[in-house]
């Protein structure tokens, strides 16, 4: 998993980071909104339930007051009819209508539809036996029946709108118990104003329905009859509260029963503002989110491109280098870090090219040197002369010298031909030179002597192979004169100030200062010259050791010539 | 990690859903009888389900809210003591929609409402039966021979002069008890003269207060006091004790009905105070509304309904597939 993450490109990593960040932000915002919305919902619910309770209690109080009156009247009915005083009962009914202004008519009707007592002097409706409130009261005698809203109908030609409370009651005719129906007509105006006592919000309203789901009353003027929307909602909810859409308004609807009646009441409370505010907030939040996500993606992709584009240029440039092209340069503009990187990269490829050039030259020189050395050493004249000398030694019966000469020659060639390493220990180089000198001594018939003064401690230092021999060769060439006897060649080796010095000293005519200058200029130049030996050594010293190494000529006319090879110490490892 | 989640889920599951919760709704916490009843239901020894009680504070609106919440929680069974028996139809309609079983108790819904749903049941006592047993107590007192009443027919006219304390005008039980006690006696051949019916709203204090007026008028003629419940009977006795209609002349703490002043009073319910009053000789008798037995039956019925067992083998008689009537019991000093 982590490996997979590490493998991602910059662009993808940034995108994923943003995605994760936005995800967290989204989740936390959603959660906190959920909390707020939940609270709002609960607030809506509890507030509307409280309002609903208020409305219902208004109705319950109103109706239970009517039931209380009815119960009292029932007691009076028993009392007065037991006393056979029907006039007194009628007077009581009138009194009741006087005290309770909402009550328009009170009447006791026998089960077969005759008026027993009444608060108004009217003729009873001949169809009384078919009127719903009368039938219902007879059907379920132990409860009060509440009719729907209608015009007065226990007598003919009633005008006022009422609802009727009816109840089957016991009364006495000539001390014989019998049953009748007590009916109370109640004015609806008060009933209606009850709905307006509580603020249900704009277009908030109530609907009261009977058990048979007939609309008894609705405070919404548009809700007429049984098939209005509100009635359908009431029917659908049955009992309890819920948020509904009513004519495109959000309403919290509570459906409840009204105590002691068979009525249901639905309160429609307008919560549109709260709900639509909620929706508003939600839409805005979503918009803000979308916008944020869009901008951050845009910005991130911009930055990603600013980083990855130069990277890709760099990458293709590296591919060029892989193919060997060190000449081209990257030109990158963009972020500071990236341009710095590009500059560093250019410097690096410059340096690589320089190093490669150097290595190339070095290899070239080395090949040349080896070639020259080989050429010198397997010089047929050298071999001829040596062999001639050995022959003349043999003729003089100097057998011991012949033996020495042949051994020296053999060792000399072994060293020259062995082509193992570029560096050899100083003692090996010395040995090689000694053999060379021995051979030359024979050739030149002991016209010179030689000596070594090498410090013990430097014997094991490494030096460039075949670097000393050309100098010695030079010394023999220029320092031996057949007329002089016993000229001396001295080879000194010592360490001083972190430098290794090897001096080749010979007696002789010496070289003028001008000539030394000339030789120095010559060996430092690239031109081919006759004095290939010195030049070759000089070049190799510079290649191997750098500027610190040097080849110095010193001379005094008619006295001596000295060639000094100067090499820094402690560089063998790096070579 | 996965295993851990599974274990957590298992634990949560184990904690929450292994046992069913049955909501129990009582109409009011201030009614001593109902409170006692609720305790009896809660204390029935059973491990099949938990019962959670909701008190509706004598408000149908509150009860409707509580029941609506219970429907939302999708309980399979509700036990309801309704506040308003007329509102029950709305609850039944709602239960039908969610196929919830309901056991009503103590307040009997309208027969037509109950008949509308086959998963609605009622456990209760029949008000008519309480009146019948009350009548039977009265017959026992007067010697069980309508033609030849014993010494408690004080004026020896062969007619029982009775006063009635009625619970609440228009209340189903009050109407039934008042009507049937007289009817039973009449059917059995007794002649009863109802001196007066007074309404005391089931209340001890109201009955106590009403006794002054009644005694002024009927102290001499009254041979029997019939009360719709024990509370009113005890209120009446209290006042009559003060008015020396009852008198513990030998101060032994009890009334000897043969030698000391006494008037027969009968109640209904069998509350503890009434039983104490019987023991000390004041209250003649009462009809016990057996809430202990009702609680047992409600729990048993709940078990059967939750397990969806056929009710044909139910150990108690079920009338019309939905009523379990619990018998009242006569309680007097003799029984």
């Amino acid at each position: 998993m982590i490996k997979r993450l590490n493998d991602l490109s910059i662009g993808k990593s940034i995108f994923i980071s943003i995605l994760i960040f936005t995800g967290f932000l989204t989740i936390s915002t959603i959660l906190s909104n959920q909390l707020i919305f939940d609270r709002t919902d609960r607030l809506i619910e509890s507030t509307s339930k409280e309002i609903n309770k208020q409305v219902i209690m208004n109705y319950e109080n109103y109706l239970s007051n009517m039931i209380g009156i009815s119960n009292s009247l029932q007691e009076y009915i028993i009392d007065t009819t037991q006393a056979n005083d029907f006039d007194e009962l009628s007077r009581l009914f009138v009194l009741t209508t006087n005290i309770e202004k909402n009550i328009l008519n009170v009447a006791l009707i026998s089960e077969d539809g005759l008026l027993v007592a009444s608060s108004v002097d009217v003729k009873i409706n001949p169809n009384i036996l078919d009127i719903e409130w009368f039938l219902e009261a007879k059907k379920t005698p132990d409860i009060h029946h509440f009719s729907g809203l209608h015009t007065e109908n226990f007598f003919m030609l009633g005008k006022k709108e009422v609802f009727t409370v009816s109840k089957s009651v016991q009364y006495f005719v000539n001390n014989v118990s019998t049953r009748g129906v007590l009916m109370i007509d109640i004015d609806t105006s008060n009933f209606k104003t009850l709905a307006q006592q509580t603020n249900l919000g704009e277009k908030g309203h109530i609907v009261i329905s009977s058990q048979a789901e007939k609309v008894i009353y609705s405070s919404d003027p548009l809700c007429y009859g049984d098939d209005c929307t509100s009635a359908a909602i009431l029917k659908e909810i049955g009992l309890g509260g819920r948020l509904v859409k009513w004519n495109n308004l959000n309403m919290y609807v509570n459906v409840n029963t009204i105590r002691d009646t068979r009525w249901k009441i639905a309160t429609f409370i307008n919560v549109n503002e709260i709900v639509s505010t909620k929706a508003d907030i939600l839409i805005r939040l979503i918009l803000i989110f979308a916008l944020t996500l869009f901008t951050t993606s845009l910005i991130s992709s911009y930055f990603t491109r600013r980083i990855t584009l130069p990277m890709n240029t760099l990458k293709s440039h590296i591919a060029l280098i892989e193919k060997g092209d060190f000449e081209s340069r990257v030109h990158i503009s963009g972020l500071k870090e990236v341009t710095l990187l590009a500059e560093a990269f250019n410097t690096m490829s410059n340096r690589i090219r320089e190093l490669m050039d150097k290595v190339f030259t070095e290899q070239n020189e080395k090949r040349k040197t080896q070639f020259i050395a080989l050429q010198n050493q397997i010089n047929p004249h050298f071999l001829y002369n040596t062999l001639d000398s050995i022959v003349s030694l043999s003729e003089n019966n100097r057998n011991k010298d012949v033996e020495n000469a042949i051994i020296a020659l053999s060792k000399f060639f072994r060293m020259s031909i062995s082509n193992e390493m570029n560096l050899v220990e100083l003692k090996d180089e010395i040995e090689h030179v000694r053999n060379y000198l021995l051979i030359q001594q024979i050739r030149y018939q002991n016209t010179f002597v030689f000596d070594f003064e090498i410090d013990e401690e430097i014997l094991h230092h490494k030096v460039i192979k075949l670097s000393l021999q050309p100098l010695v060769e030079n010394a023999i060439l220029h320092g031996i004169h057949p007329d002089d006897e016993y000229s001396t060649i001295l080879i000194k080796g010592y360490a001083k100030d972190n430098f290794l010095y090897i001096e080749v000293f010979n007696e002789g005519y010496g070289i003028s200062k001008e000539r030394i200058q000339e030789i120095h200029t010559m060996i430092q130049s690239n031109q081919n010259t006759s004095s290939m030996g010195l030049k070759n050594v000089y070049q190799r010293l510079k290649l191997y050791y750098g500027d610190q190494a040097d080849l110095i000529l010193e001379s005094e006319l008619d006295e001596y010539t000295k060639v000094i090879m100067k090499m820094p110490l402690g560089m063998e490892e790096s070579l | 990690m996965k295993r851990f989640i599974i274990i957590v889920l298992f634990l949560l599951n184990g904690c929450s859903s292994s046992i069913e919760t049955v909501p129990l709704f009582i109409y009011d916490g201030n009614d001593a009888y109902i409170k006692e009843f609720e305790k009896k239901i809660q204390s029935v020894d059973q491990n099949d389900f938990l019962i959670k009680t909701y008190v509706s504070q004598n408000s149908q609106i509150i009860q409707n809210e509580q029941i609506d919440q219970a429907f939302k929680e999708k309980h399979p069974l509700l036990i309801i003591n309704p506040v308003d028996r007329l509102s029950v139809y709305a609850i039944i309609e709602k239960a039908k929609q969610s196929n919830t079983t309901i056991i009503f108790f103590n307040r009997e819904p309208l027969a037509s409402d109950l008949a509308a749903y086959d998963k609605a049941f009622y456990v209760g006592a029949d008000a008519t039966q309480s009146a019948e047993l009350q009548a039977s107590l009265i017959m026992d007192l007067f010697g069980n021979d309508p033609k030849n009443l014993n010494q408690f027919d004080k004026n020896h006219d062969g007619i029982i002069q009775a006063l009635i304390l009625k619970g609440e005008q228009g209340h189903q039980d009050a109407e039934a008890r008042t009507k049937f006690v007289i009817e039973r006696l009449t059917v059995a051949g007794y002649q009863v003269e109802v001196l007066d019916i007074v309404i005391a709203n089931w209340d001890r204090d109201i009955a106590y207060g009403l006794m002054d007026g009644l005694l002024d008028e009927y102290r001499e003629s009254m041979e029997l006091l019939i009360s719709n419940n024990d509370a009113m009977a005890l209120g009446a006795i209290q006042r009559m004790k003060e008015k020396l209609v009852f008198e513990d002349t030998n101060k032994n703490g009890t009334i000897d009905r043969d030698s000391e002043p006494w008037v027969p009073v009968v109640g209904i319910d069998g509350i503890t105070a009434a039983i104490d009053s019987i023991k000390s000789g004041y209250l003649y008798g009462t009809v016990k509304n057996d809430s202990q037995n009702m609680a047992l039956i409600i729990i048993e019925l709940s078990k059967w309904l939750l397990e969806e067992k056929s009710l044909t083998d139910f150990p108690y008689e079920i009338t019309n597939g939905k009523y379990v009537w619990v018998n009242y019991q006569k309680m007097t000093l003799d029984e």
Side-chain angles (χ1 to χ4, degrees):
Chain A
M1 182 69 187
I2 286 168
K3 191 178 182 308
R4 227 182 296 161
L5 280 181
N6 286 338
D7 286 348
L8 286 176
S9 70
I10 293 176
K12 274 184 188 161
S13 323
I14 292 176
F15 184 70
I16 285 174
S17 310
I18 286 176
L19 217 61
I20 289 170
F21 173 73
T22 325
F24 271 122
L25 209 66
T26 316
I27 288 167
S28 59
T29 316
I30 286 173
L31 284 179
S32 53
N33 272 299
Q34 197 74 44
L35 201 73
I36 295 167
F37 287 170
D38 274 1
R39 291 227 174 121
T40 323
D41 285 350
R42 256 178 284 156
L43 193 70
I44 292 174
E45 195 178 328
S46 62
T47 313
S48 48
K49 274 187 176 160
E50 273 318 303
I51 295 171
N52 172 60
K53 218 173 269 182
Q54 193 64 51
V55 174
I56 294 173
M57 263 153 65
N58 285 345
Y59 277 98
E60 282 189 347
N61 287 339
Y62 184 73
L63 295 175
S64 89
N65 187 28
M66 296 304 159
I67 290 171
I69 291 170
S70 161
N71 284 338
S72 307
L73 286 174
Q74 286 170 56
E75 284 179 54
Y76 289 126
I77 287 169
I78 291 169
D79 287 348
T80 52
T81 56
Q82 266 181 332
N84 229 349
D85 197 348
F86 290 90
D87 290 343
E88 171 67 12
L89 186 59
S90 291
R91 264 197 301 282
L92 263 170
F93 285 174
V94 174
L95 201 63
T96 307
T97 60
N98 286 342
I99 294 167
E100 183 57 75
K101 289 294 174 198
N102 291 318
I103 296 176
L104 293 182
N105 313 300
V106 182
L108 177 63
I109 301 156
S110 71
E111 285 208 316
D112 45 11
L114 298 171
L115 202 57
V116 179
S118 167
S119 64
V120 280
D121 188 16
V122 289
K123 245 178 100 108
I124 192 156
N125 186 338
N127 302 319
I128 190 78
L129 292 177
D130 299 325
I131 291 174
E132 183 242 357
W133 54 257
F134 188 82
L135 290 169
E136 285 293 331
K138 268 167 70 177
K139 203 171 100 189
T140 32
D142 55 346
I143 63 169
H144 283 89
H145 179 261
F146 290 81
S147 80
L149 272 46
H150 59 85
T151 44
E152 300 165 293
N153 59 2
F154 88 97
F155 56 90
M156 299 297 284
L157 302 171
K159 287 183 194 72
K160 290 177 183 152
E161 191 189 41
V162 293
F163 70 94
T164 306
V165 182
S166 55
K167 168 89 168 68
S168 168
V169 297
Q170 182 193 25
Y171 73 103
F172 294 88
V173 179
N174 298 324
N175 262 329
V176 178
S177 173
T178 180
R179 295 202 77 82
V181 172
L182 169 70
M183 72 111 240
I184 304 168
D185 276 346
I186 298 162
D187 186 15
T188 58
S189 58
N190 230 356
F191 181 83
K192 288 175 178 175
T193 53
L194 278 178
Q196 285 135 29
Q197 281 178 5
T198 320
N199 181 14
L200 302 174
E202 203 195 335
K203 297 209 171 163
H205 59 278
I206 66 156
V207 178
I208 295 176
S209 80
S210 70
Q211 187 194 358
E213 269 141 8
K214 284 194 166 171
V215 173
I216 284 169
Y217 169 67
S218 169
S219 65
D220 175 26
L222 297 174
C223 186
Y224 253 92
D226 300 332
D227 50 21
C228 72
T229 328
S230 305
I233 291 170
L234 185 156
K235 191 175 169 181
E236 193 201 321
I237 295 178
L239 192 68
R242 195 198 298 164
L243 201 62
V244 296
K245 268 266 191 250
W246 180 88
N247 291 347
N248 281 326
L249 289 173
N250 290 296
M251 294 270 188
Y252 199 93
V253 181
N254 278 290
V255 178
N256 238 304
T257 51
I258 298 179
R259 195 171 176 169
D260 296 324
T261 71
R262 307 286 279 170
W263 287 356
K264 275 184 186 175
I265 178 166
T267 48
F268 288 70
I269 297 160
N270 189 337
V271 291
N272 199 49
E273 209 157 306
I274 308 173
V275 175
S276 56
T277 308
K278 213 173 89 176
D280 234 38
I281 291 171
L282 200 67
I283 289 167
R284 269 173 219 199
L285 268 172
I286 290 169
L287 266 175
I288 289 169
F289 258 109
L291 216 67
T292 315
L293 200 64
F294 180 71
T295 3
T296 42
S297 315
L298 221 63
I299 290 169
S300 75
S301 80
Y302 170 71
F303 276 109
T304 311
R305 282 170 68 84
R306 277 194 63 176
I307 293 172
T308 53
L309 265 183
M311 290 283 185
N312 286 336
T313 322
L314 215 54
K315 204 174 82 188
S316 51
H317 191 75
I318 289 170
L320 280 181
I321 287 180
E322 276 171 9
K323 285 178 193 157
D325 177 6
F326 288 95
E327 294 306 315
S328 55
R329 293 284 169 269
V330 244
H331 299 286
I332 288 169
S333 59
L335 294 171
K336 197 178 167 193
E337 287 85 348
V338 182
T339 47
L340 282 177
L341 189 65
E343 277 170 27
F345 185 79
N346 282 339
T347 318
M348 186 187 78
S349 63
N350 273 338
R351 182 81 186 120
I352 289 175
R353 202 195 54 208
E354 278 170 25
L355 284 173
M356 282 188 67
D357 289 351
K358 196 176 161 191
V359 170
F360 182 72
T361 330
E362 211 170 281
Q363 290 294 332
N364 246 357
E365 282 308 315
K366 199 176 137 193
R367 242 177 291 134
K368 250 189 249 168
T369 318
Q370 280 171 344
F371 179 70
I372 291 162
L374 275 172
Q375 204 180 30
N376 283 345
Q377 285 137 25
I378 314 177
N379 191 331
H381 294 288
F382 173 73
L383 196 54
Y384 265 144
N385 295 338
T386 311
L387 287 175
D388 270 352
S389 306
I390 292 173
V391 168
S392 86
L393 285 176
S394 167
E395 280 168 357
N396 293 327
N397 280 330
R398 292 167 61 184
N399 291 340
K400 190 65 191 168
D401 288 338
V402 171
E403 191 190 332
N404 286 342
I406 290 175
I407 289 169
L409 191 65
S410 136
K411 278 184 183 171
F412 177 79
F413 276 113
R414 188 173 298 151
M415 173 79 167
S416 304
I417 295 162
S418 85
N419 195 17
E420 293 158 8
M421 282 171 282
N422 290 326
L423 291 178
V424 291
E425 286 191 349
L426 182 60
K427 71 174 173 48
D428 292 335
E429 187 69 11
I430 299 287
E431 189 56 35
H432 180 66
V433 170
R434 186 191 303 280
N435 288 326
Y436 176 71
L437 284 167
L438 282 172
I439 293 162
Q440 291 296 50
Q441 231 175 12
I442 293 162
R443 257 190 69 197
Y444 288 94
Q445 294 169 351
N446 289 326
T447 50
F448 69 91
V449 291
F450 64 87
D451 197 7
F452 288 94
E453 285 178 21
I454 310 292
D455 287 351
E456 277 293 315
E457 66 214 40
I458 62 166
L459 277 178
H460 294 283
H461 278 288
K462 297 260 172 112
V463 292
I464 300 166
K465 185 180 166 185
L466 300 180
S467 57
L468 197 50
Q469 193 229 330
L471 307 184
V472 176
E473 193 183 336
N474 216 44
I476 294 171
L477 262 172
H478 301 292
I480 309 292
H481 216 278
D483 305 341
D484 295 341
E485 277 196 14
Y486 299 113
S487 55
T488 309
I489 292 177
L490 180 60
I491 297 158
K492 279 168 83 173
Y494 56 89
K496 196 176 125 192
D497 300 335
N498 253 343
F499 281 97
L500 184 64
Y501 294 91
I502 297 172
E503 298 179 4
V504 179
F505 172 93
N506 68 280
E507 294 172 328
Y509 307 120
I511 317 167
S512 68
K513 286 219 161 55
E514 293 75 26
R515 179 66 187 152
I516 289 176
Q517 197 59 50
E518 217 174 288
I519 292 168
H520 269 140
T521 321
M522 183 208 46
I523 59 175
Q524 284 164 21
S525 78
N526 272 331
Q527 297 158 2
N528 282 336
T529 58
S530 53
S531 185
M532 281 300 283
L534 280 182
K535 184 180 176 184
N536 183 259
V537 172
Y538 177 81
Q539 299 279 12
R540 283 168 72 200
L541 278 176
K542 289 284 176 192
L543 276 176
Y544 278 116
Y545 297 105
D547 290 338
Q548 284 176 297
D550 209 353
L551 194 66
I552 309 151
L553 262 78
E554 276 179 31
S555 185
E556 201 149 313
L557 282 171
D558 294 326
E559 287 294 324
Y560 70 93
T561 306
K562 193 157 73 174
V563 181
I564 306 162
M565 192 160 61
K566 179 185 173 192
M567 293 160 283
L569 276 173
M571 275 185 71
E572 293 92 344
E573 289 307 310
S574 60
L575 291 171
Chain B
M1 187 65 187
K2 216 174 223 174
R3 197 177 300 162
F4 175 72
I5 290 171
I6 289 170
I7 288 169
V8 169
L9 284 177
F10 180 77
L11 286 175
L12 286 175
N13 201 37
C15 291
S16 59
S17 70
S18 62
I19 192 158
E20 196 73 63
T21 300
V22 175
L24 165 68
F25 304 90
I26 63 169
Y27 91 96
D28 195 0
N30 292 327
D31 182 324
Y33 173 74
I34 279 297
K35 247 179 113 176
E36 215 174 288
F37 200 157
E38 188 265 334
K39 267 191 201 149
K40 284 174 181 166
I41 293 174
Q42 285 280 15
S43 56
V44 172
D45 186 28
Q46 54 94 12
N47 299 313
D48 298 75
F49 49 89
L50 294 171
I51 298 169
K52 189 173 178 201
T53 304
Y54 295 88
V55 180
S56 304
Q57 300 165 40
N58 200 16
S59 158
Q60 190 59 48
I61 308 170
I62 291 173
Q63 193 169 61
N64 284 346
E65 258 176 38
Q66 292 167 334
I67 290 174
D68 186 38
Q69 187 56 39
F71 279 130
K72 281 177 187 161
E73 288 165 13
K74 301 201 189 307
H75 297 285
L77 173 71
L78 311 180
I79 303 173
I80 304 175
N81 158 224
V83 177
D84 174 26
R85 66 190 198 102
L86 297 188
S87 297
V88 161
Y89 80 96
I91 298 167
I92 289 178
E93 278 172 13
K94 192 96 178 169
K96 251 192 213 171
Q97 290 171 9
S98 56
N99 203 28
T100 311
T101 308
I102 303 185
I103 299 173
F104 293 100
F105 71 100
N106 184 256
R107 288 189 173 182
E108 185 188 343
L110 291 188
S112 57
D113 291 346
L114 216 51
Y117 183 39
D118 59 353
K119 287 190 161 183
F121 299 86
Y122 178 72
V123 175
D126 181 6
T128 324
Q129 194 203 23
S130 66
E132 259 173 48
L133 290 177
Q134 205 177 30
S136 163
L137 278 176
I138 293 163
M139 291 181 221
D140 292 345
L141 181 73
F142 284 92
N144 278 319
D145 182 2
K147 300 290 165 224
N148 190 11
L149 301 180
N150 59 17
Q151 77 274 20
F152 293 110
D153 178 20
K154 283 194 294 187
N155 58 4
H156 307 290
D157 63 351
I159 302 167
I160 303 170
Q161 274 77 26
L163 266 175
I164 297 178
L165 289 172
K166 192 172 168 181
E168 192 183 319
Q169 178 62 41
H171 190 287
Q172 180 198 19
D173 284 0
E175 297 292 347
R177 286 172 182 175
T178 309
K179 185 180 164 196
F180 284 112
V181 70
I182 303 302
E183 207 174 275
R184 284 289 150 189
L185 287 168
T186 316
V187 167
Y190 291 85
Q191 281 185 282
V192 182
E193 184 191 341
V194 178
L195 297 173
D196 207 347
I197 300 176
V198 290
I199 289 160
N201 275 325
W202 309 110
D203 192 273
R204 182 180 174 129
D205 295 341
I206 295 176
Y208 175 92
L210 284 170
M211 278 319 287
D212 281 2
L214 290 174
L215 288 176
D216 285 349
E217 202 170 340
Y218 306 115
R219 182 167 183 151
E220 294 311 317
S221 55
M222 173 175 65
E223 289 170 349
L224 173 69
L225 179 65
I226 301 169
S227 174
N228 278 176
N229 75 346
D230 285 341
M232 295 188 292
L234 293 172
I237 287 172
Q238 179 67 29
R239 190 62 189 145
M240 287 195 284
K241 248 166 92 178
E242 289 162 13
K243 291 273 189 177
L244 300 178
V245 180
F246 292 82
E247 198 183 359
D248 182 13
T249 43
N250 57 12
K251 307 280 183 215
N252 66 350
T254 59
I255 293 279
D256 179 1
R257 68 179 71 154
D258 294 320
S259 60
E260 292 172 322
W262 180 77
V263 167
V265 179
V266 283
I268 293 177
D269 277 350
I271 62 174
T272 321
I275 289 162
D276 290 345
S277 183
I278 291 172
K279 282 178 185 159
S280 55
Y282 287 93
L283 182 65
Y284 159 59
T286 186
V287 178
K288 192 184 173 194
N289 192 348
D290 193 354
S291 56
Q292 180 60 47
N293 204 17
M294 263 189 247
L296 283 172
I297 292 172
I298 288 169
I299 294 298
E300 192 62 24
L301 185 59
S302 300
K303 274 192 214 170
W304 283 58
L305 292 171
L306 281 175
E307 288 170 20
E308 293 178 6
K309 286 205 276 190
S310 162
L311 291 177
T312 43
D313 298 327
F314 192 66
Y316 301 88
E317 192 189 333
I318 297 183
T319 315
N320 294 334
K322 45 182 75 249
Y323 291 94
V324 184
W325 294 118
V326 178
N327 288 330
Y328 284 97
Q329 291 163 337
K330 289 196 280 185
M331 303 209 57
T332 62
L333 213 48
D334 310 320
E335 293 190 42

